[in-house]
C-alpha cells in the first residue's frame, strides 16, 4: 500500500485496469479515448474530489463547460438524456460521461446515434416526436434570437414539411422507427 500522501499523483490518476477493459467493451471508445475522457472528467471536479473520480458525480453546470456542449443547442437535453441521476439534477457520473462521448464518437453506429438523437429531441419524453417537440427542436436549431426566430407561419410550414417527410403512418407524430428511417436517408446526419 504505501502511505496515503506518497500515493498521490502518478497512478492515482489512472483508471483501474479492469475498469478500463470493461469500459472498452461497453462503449465505442478506444483505450486511449477512455483514458483521455477520465482525465477530462477529473478536471471537471474540485481538486479534493479527483481522487475518487470514478464514484463522484459532476454537476450539470460543469458538464456544460465542455467545448463539445458549449456550442450545442441541445446541451440541456443531452445532459438530461445521459444523466442517470436520481435527483433529476442532470449531474453525470463518469459512466454517464463515457456513454455520452461514446454515442458522439465517430465509431458509434448510426442506429445508436439516431436512437439517442430521438431521445434528445423528445423534449417531453413521451416516446414520440409531436408538434410541440418539433417546435422546440426548430427553435433550438434556429436560436432564440429575435432576428432568427421564425414567424408562426414559417414554423407551421416547416413542421408540416417535417411531418410530410417523416410521418409514415400519418398520425401527426414521428415515432422512433419513422425517425430512424428519415435519418437513414440523410447520410450527412
Amino acid at each position: 500500500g504505501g502511505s496515503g500522501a506518497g500515493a498521490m499523483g502518478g497512478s492515482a490518476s489512472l483508471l483501474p485496469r479492469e475498469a478500463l477493459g470493461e469500459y472498452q467493451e461497453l462503449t465505442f471508445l478506444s483505450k486511449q479515448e477512455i483514458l483521455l475522457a477520465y482525465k477530462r472528467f477529473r478536471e471537471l471536479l474540485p481538486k479534493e474530489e479527483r481522487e475518487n473520480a470514478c464514484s463522484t458525480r459532476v454537476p450539470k453546470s460543469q458538464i456544460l463547460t465542455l467545448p463539445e456542449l458549449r456550442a450545442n443547442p441541445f446541451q440541456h437535453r443531452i445532459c438530461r438524456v445521459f444523466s442517470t441521476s436520481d435527483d433529476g439534477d442532470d449531474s453525470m457520473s463518469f459512466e454517464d460521461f463515457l456513454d455520452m462521448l461514446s454515442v458522439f464518437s465517430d465509431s458509434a453506429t448510426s442506429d445508436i446515434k439516431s436512437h439517442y438523437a430521438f431521445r434528445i429531441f423528445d423534449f417531453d419524453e413521451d416516446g414520440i416526436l409531436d408538434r410541440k417537440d418539433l417546435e422546440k427542436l426548430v427553435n433550438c436549431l434556429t436560436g432564440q434570437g429575435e432576428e432568427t426566430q421564425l414567424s408562426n407561419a414559417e414554423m407551421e410550414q416547416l413542421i408540416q414539411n417535417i411531418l410530410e417527410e417523416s410521418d409514415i403512418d400519418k398520425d401527426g407524430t414521428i415515432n422512433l422507427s419513422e425517425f430512424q428511417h428519415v435519418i437513414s436517408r440523410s447520410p450527412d446526419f
Side-chain angles (χ1 to χ4, degrees):
S3 72
M8 285 296 289
S11 59
S13 63
L14 291 175
L15 272 172
R17 184 159 290 164
E18 59 279 15
L20 190 57
E22 208 173 302
Y23 291 144
Q24 264 182 282
E25 280 170 40
L26 296 173
T27 65
F28 295 101
L29 303 170
S30 68
K31 205 186 243 164
Q32 275 316 103
E33 289 172 315
I34 292 168
L35 290 171
L36 182 61
Y38 187 64
K39 184 170 174 286
R40 293 183 63 194
F41 186 78
R42 283 181 76 235
E43 282 163 5
L44 295 172
L45 289 167
K47 287 214 164 39
E48 63 277 9
E49 289 180 17
R50 289 184 184 170
E51 200 57 12
N52 308 315
C54 268
S55 53
T56 310
R57 303 190 73 87
V58 166
K60 174 180 174 179
S61 56
Q62 281 298 99
I63 299 287
L64 291 177
T65 63
L66 295 164
E68 292 93 324
L69 287 186
R70 250 203 315 260
N72 191 310
F74 302 105
Q75 44 176 241
H76 296 287
R77 290 293 308 149
I78 290 169
C79 287
R80 166 57 50 96
V81 165
F82 288 98
S83 168
T84 54
S85 165
D86 300 330
D87 308 330
D89 61 2
D90 298 350
S91 62
M92 282 195 195
S93 67
F94 178 56
E95 297 191 2
D96 296 344
F97 184 65
L98 271 188
D99 275 340
M100 176 178 76
L101 293 180
S102 174
V103 170
F104 287 133
S105 79
D106 294 337
S107 336
T109 63
S110 60
D111 256 11
I112 296 262
K113 282 188 191 297
S114 58
H115 172 80
Y116 276 98
F118 183 83
R119 286 184 56 195
I120 288 165
F121 299 161
D122 181 12
F123 289 86
D124 55 8
E125 299 179 8
D126 61 356
I128 50 170
L129 305 186
D130 53 23
R131 286 174 165 274
K132 269 209 178 73
D133 292 323
L134 294 175
E135 211 167 294
K136 285 190 169 159
L137 173 57
V138 172
N139 277 335
C140 277
L141 289 172
T142 54
Q144 304 292 345
E146 292 290 300
E147 65 288 347
T148 51
Q149 230 166 13
L150 300 178
S151 68
N152 290 344
E154 290 171 316
M155 176 67 87
E156 190 46 46
Q157 187 53 56
L158 191 53
I159 288 178
Q160 256 339 100
N161 294 351
I162 296 174
L163 287 171
E164 261 163 43
E165 281 286 296
S166 331
D167 181 16
I168 298 164
D169 59 12
K170 298 292 172 228
D171 65 351
T173 63
I174 302 170
N175 59 34
L176 178 59
S177 61
E178 288 171 337
F179 182 74
Q180 290 186 314
H181 180 69
V182 178
I183 299 300
S184 67
R185 298 202 321 245
S186 41
D188 50 349
F189 176 78

